[in-house]
Amino acid sequence: MPHDVIIVGAGPVGLMLACELRLAGTEVVVLEGRAAPPGHAPGVAVNGGVVELLEMRGLMDDCRPDGFEFPMAHFAHVWLDPGRLADRHPYNFSLPHTRLIHHLAERARALGADLRFGHRVRDLAQDADSVEVRTDGPDGERTTRGRYLVGCDGARSAVRRAAGIGFPGHEEPFHGIVADLRIDPDHVLNQHLGAKEHPAGLFAVSPVAPGTVRVLTALFGVEPPSRDGAPSPDEVRDCVRRVADVAFTGGEPLWSARWSNETRLAERYRAGRVFLAGDAAHVHFPLGGQALSTGLDDAVNLGWKLAADLAGQAPAGLLDTYATERRPVGERACRTTRAQVALLHPLTELREVFAELVTFPDVNEYLVTMVGGTDTRYRFTDDGSAHPLLGRRIPGIAAAARSVPDLAAAWASGRGVLLDMGDGPDTRFDLTGWTDRVALVRSKPLPGVDAEALLLRPDGRVCWATRGGDGDDGLAEARAAWFGGPATTD
Ligand SMILES: Cc1cc2nc3c(=O)[nH]c(=O)nc-3n(C[C@H](O)[C@H](O)[C@H](O)COP(=O)(O)OP(=O)(O)OC[C@H]3O[C@@H](n4cnc5c(N)ncnc54)[C@H](O)[C@@H]3O)c2cc1C
């Protein structure tokens, strides 16, 4: 029997997708090339968009003890102020991605996902009904068959290559390293905590654990001495000296890696029964946590659609909306991060003009929500007078979840929600036929939500809204368009 879904890659995106599929009851196997979860990962920030998704699924409570709130955001290291936004409170959260991966893996396992480490995918083949992957694993070569396969195997995706999907883009000459060092409290690197741009590039030092700092350097316009293998301690010291003119000795090297200045977008997000998500679909300069928020949003967008298709409940064309909704978001992340790189190197007066511009509240809000991945709006209609929340997640997800326990429970279950904020003693809505996919939740009006009732897809996106005056016009159509027909067993 083929598996329902094979996910390739147990990075944050593959694991998030595994959780989403299991919430919907879909059988899933995750094939990961590494023998075990990574002990090190370069990322330490999750942005407001990721926090919203983790809050929706009740995962933020698991992650919170491992990190701290960081209520700042930046565009090309020009600092913004999320605290000035009126009704949304997206905040960055500092969390080593190894811990995020740990919590997602725990959750995926608890939900019943089959995680298989040490299985590296080499090749795949597909026909009209299934996909077959060939892997090298602990017991040698194996084949695994699934009805769908999702490549979440990162920037060098073997799935993307085997599916024949191009990955056009740009790669600039660039020497980037990231390294963890255990240092004494009086070590010179402790005097350089923070991130700073220099004429040659970037230099950042951030604490990642007591007595351990992460050093990150970016040298623009130069070729690295090598593309393979971890940089040596000498190379790390040399990069720090070249970028920031800081000389240091000592410190115990714990881990180091290279990174590149590459921007690429997959030509397609789907080839037959194969989909791409996360870095396998889009890579760009890592700034503001945009890569991860775009990737996790891919996973949350795709999971319920694949599950509905496999359950025979997907309305016509539902699976195609994954690419039509998500590829433009990936394209925009590529475009806006390239714009940031242009502001970072060479350093010009344009940065000063930008620093002046961000003092305007509208500019601050535009950029905070853009880099935080919270401004995405899917275009469900060309009607310019459509409700402004249509295609968006509602503002203040954490506060909404805290104040309406039934809403938190519905989100944690991965179902759609009909949110009735009307003031009558009884709801006028009847979900008979759809209660397996949509929860009816009653609530007082939520701050910043100018509506009497909303229909939310499982990914939290508003797909129907009424302010009351127009009754329930369009509700049945929206329900059919996103959730399909009634179940016979309700
Ligand atoms: C220097 C640097 C700093 C960064 N900092 C941040 C940050 O602070 N915040 C942020 O949000 N983002 C940051 N990023 C980006 C972030 O790391 C990525 O966007 C994120 O890891 C992408 O997740 P993913 O699951 O799509 O891919 P990955 O994390 O790359 O996971 C892919 C998984 O697939 C596995 N795999 C690969 N090939 C195969 C195969 N053939 N078979 C089976 N398994 C395979 C890999 O072993 C891996 O586990 C940074 C990136 C870099 C380079």
Side-chain angles (χ1 to χ4, degrees):
M1 280 284 284
H3 296 283
D4 280 348
V5 179
I6 300 171
I7 295 173
V8 181
V13 174
L15 292 168
M16 187 79 187
L17 179 61
C19 293
E20 292 295 297
L21 288 163
R22 286 306 302 145
L23 280 177
T26 303
E27 189 260 345
V28 60
V29 58
V30 183
L31 303 176
E32 164 58 48
R34 294 179 209 261
H40 299 276
V44 285
V46 304
N47 67 15
V50 175
V51 171
E52 283 190 350
L53 292 175
L54 298 178
E55 291 281 12
M56 259 181 60
R57 294 297 185 242
L59 278 155
M60 205 50 209
D61 290 343
D62 299 346
C63 296
R64 208 167 271 117
D66 287 334
F68 56 89
E69 269 184 42
F70 182 62
M72 302 284 282
H74 67 87
F75 185 85
H77 291 196
V78 175
W79 290 97
L80 310 167
D81 185 358
R84 283 164 62 200
L85 268 57
D87 52 21
R88 246 172 215 258
H89 304 285
Y91 53 92
N92 278 344
F93 192 78
S94 183
L95 174 72
H97 287 191
T98 44
R99 296 308 296 161
L100 175 65
I101 289 169
H102 166 82
H103 291 301
L104 288 171
E106 290 286 293
R107 181 63 69 96
R109 266 203 205 93
L111 289 167
D114 179 357
L115 307 188
R116 298 184 189 170
F117 286 88
H119 293 266
R120 184 159 293 277
V121 167
R122 285 172 46 185
D123 211 352
L124 66 83
Q126 59 173 317
D127 58 29
D129 303 312
S130 65
V131 195
E132 198 168 79
V133 274
R134 216 146 43 98
T135 51
D136 288 328
D139 310 319
E141 190 179 305
R142 280 180 71 157
T143 56
T144 310
R145 210 150 59 86
R147 293 178 65 195
Y148 286 109
L149 180 140
V150 189
C152 303
D153 50 343
R156 310 273 166 249
S157 173
V159 168
R160 188 183 60 230
R161 202 172 45 246
I165 299 177
F167 202 38
H170 307 263
E171 179 167 4
E172 314 293 342
F174 180 80
H175 184 186
I177 58 119
V178 53
D180 286 357
L181 289 165
R182 189 171 291 137
I183 57 172
D184 293 330
D186 57 356
H187 194 278
V188 66
L189 287 176
N190 275 325
Q191 295 163 21
H192 295 274
L193 290 176
K196 190 157 171 26
E197 49 300 333
H198 297 269
L202 306 174
F203 174 46
V205 183
S206 44
V208 283
T212 302
V213 289
R214 175 155 301 169
V215 174
L216 181 139
T217 60
L219 276 157
F220 291 99
V222 296
E223 292 293 346
S226 160
R227 285 174 175 271
D228 306 312
S232 67
D234 278 349
E235 189 180 331
V236 174
R237 279 191 288 271
D238 185 51
C239 286
V240 172
R241 190 190 48 72
R242 284 167 71 190
V243 178
D245 199 20
V246 171
F248 73 92
T249 54
E252 182 192 348
L254 301 176
W255 166 76
S256 63
R258 300 181 184 284
W259 56 294
S260 59
N261 178 5
E262 236 176 314
T263 304
R264 298 182 186 280
L265 181 69
E267 274 170 355
R268 292 174 288 154
Y269 274 27
R270 177 182 187 179
R273 305 188 80 78
V274 177
F275 292 81
L276 299 177
D279 276 17
H282 39 76
V283 285
H284 53 69
F285 200 83
L287 281 164
Q290 265 172 282
L292 184 67
S293 62
T294 309
L296 291 187
D297 237 339
D298 290 345
V300 173
N301 186 290
L302 180 59
W304 66 279
K305 295 175 182 175
L306 274 178
D309 184 274
L310 287 160
Q313 291 173 328
L318 184 71
L319 268 186
D320 295 334
T321 64
Y322 170 61
T324 53
E325 290 175 357
R326 294 306 303 167
R327 195 170 175 281
V329 178
E331 189 276 328
R332 184 167 184 241
C334 288
R335 189 159 31 88
T336 58
T337 44
R338 266 176 76 77
Q340 293 184 69
V341 171
L343 275 180
L344 284 166
H345 185 80
L347 295 175
T348 68
E349 294 76 7
L350 203 49
R351 291 183 64 80
E352 286 151 41
V353 176
F354 237 83
E356 288 165 14
L357 282 176
V358 302
T359 61
F360 291 92
D362 286 357
V363 177
N364 178 62
E365 176 163 351
Y366 179 81
L367 292 175
V368 166
T369 56
M370 185 184 85
V371 298
T374 54
D375 69 346
T376 300
R377 180 180 189 191
Y378 303 140
R379 208 151 279 293
F380 296 154
T381 168
D382 291 331
D383 177 0
S385 64
H387 194 284
L389 281 179
L390 205 65
R392 296 183 188 276
R393 292 196 287 261
I394 62 168
I397 280 180
R402 272 195 301 274
S403 65
V404 189
D406 287 353
L407 183 57
W411 274 336
S413 77
R415 284 189 295 164
V417 175
L418 180 53
L419 184 62
D420 178 1
M421 293 170 285
D423 52 11
D426 299 309
T427 182
R428 67 170 192 278
F429 298 105
D430 178 8
L431 278 176
T432 305
W434 283 270
T435 53
D436 56 336
R437 284 153 281 170
V438 187
L440 178 56
V441 174
R442 299 216 68 201
S443 138
K444 292 197 173 73
L446 295 173
V449 179
D450 176 22
E452 187 213 357
L454 301 171
L455 183 63
L456 310 177
R457 305 191 317 188
D459 57 359
R461 300 282 166 179
V462 175
C463 60
W464 173 81
T466 180
R467 293 192 172 96
D470 44 0
D472 298 342
D473 280 0
L475 174 59
E477 290 80 359
R479 193 178 54 197
W482 297 111
F483 295 99
T488 46
T489 50
D490 250 22

